[in-house]
Amino acid sequence: MKFENKVFPNDEQLNGFADNLEKGPIKLLNLIKLKKYAEYNDGRETNLTGLEAYTLYGKETQDHLKKVGAKVVFMGPVSRLNIGEVEELWDLVAIAEYPDRGAFLKMINDPAYQKTSEHREAAIEGQLNIEIL
């Protein structure tokens, strides 16, 4: 099985949400790989680790989730692999629940969320984001 951590969905993945905006509730499982140190796209100087930048993102995202009726169900560090084989483990796992696909799209298209997402982009090498119905 091949996998690639990514920072953003491709067009096909993003369009999949628009196919049925009312489908839900949905949960999104996030397997997150952090950078050692945060790297902001605007070139700002920072001493933040990837974890520290992602923690800022997580705190700020709580309000964005509430605005669309969503919530974090679980978030925690990955400690070890119990079954299977991978070259490298993810650092964090998070599960967020949204009332429907449209709520997720509404949140990620909100300019205020996009500003918050700068911390996410600075923090992560990539992730897998898996929809669960």
Side-chain angles (χ1 to χ4, degrees):
M1 175 188 303
K2 177 187 172 218
F3 73 89
E4 274 185 66
N5 290 321
K6 297 285 185 173
V7 177
F8 298 106
N10 63 35
D11 289 341
E12 180 182 343
Q13 292 164 336
L14 197 54
N15 290 337
F17 272 95
D19 285 345
N20 190 349
L21 293 175
E22 297 80 28
K23 190 165 196 137
I26 63 167
K27 291 179 181 68
L28 295 179
L29 169 65
N30 298 273
L31 303 174
I32 302 155
K33 187 67 182 164
L34 297 168
K35 294 176 184 172
K36 186 170 183 172
Y37 294 101
E39 299 172 18
Y40 286 88
N41 290 333
D42 62 10
R44 75 182 81 163
E45 293 290 320
T46 183
N47 293 324
L48 294 174
T49 65
L51 179 58
E52 290 168 334
Y54 198 82
T55 300
L56 287 173
Y57 165 75
K59 287 179 182 175
E60 291 182 19
T61 298
Q62 293 299 315
D63 289 336
H64 300 295
L65 290 165
K66 286 179 191 171
K67 282 197 277 187
V68 298
K71 64 183 177 184
V72 173
V73 176
F74 174 82
M75 184 165 181
V78 172
S79 58
R80 67 186 202 92
L81 184 66
N82 290 330
I83 297 175
E85 293 182 34
V86 294
E87 289 181 23
E88 194 173 354
L89 287 177
W90 293 270
D91 297 307
L92 299 172
V93 174
I95 300 172
E97 182 175 54
Y98 296 82
D100 53 42
R101 288 177 174 170
F104 174 74
L105 286 179
K106 181 178 180 182
M107 185 183 84
I108 66 171
N109 285 310
D110 180 339
Y113 170 79
Q114 291 171 359
K115 179 71 175 157
T116 292
S117 189
E118 292 176 358
H119 297 302
R120 176 188 163 275
E121 294 168 37
I124 68 171
E125 285 184 23
Q127 72 182 70
L128 298 181
N129 185 268
I130 303 164
E131 180 183 271
I132 305 166
L133 294 175

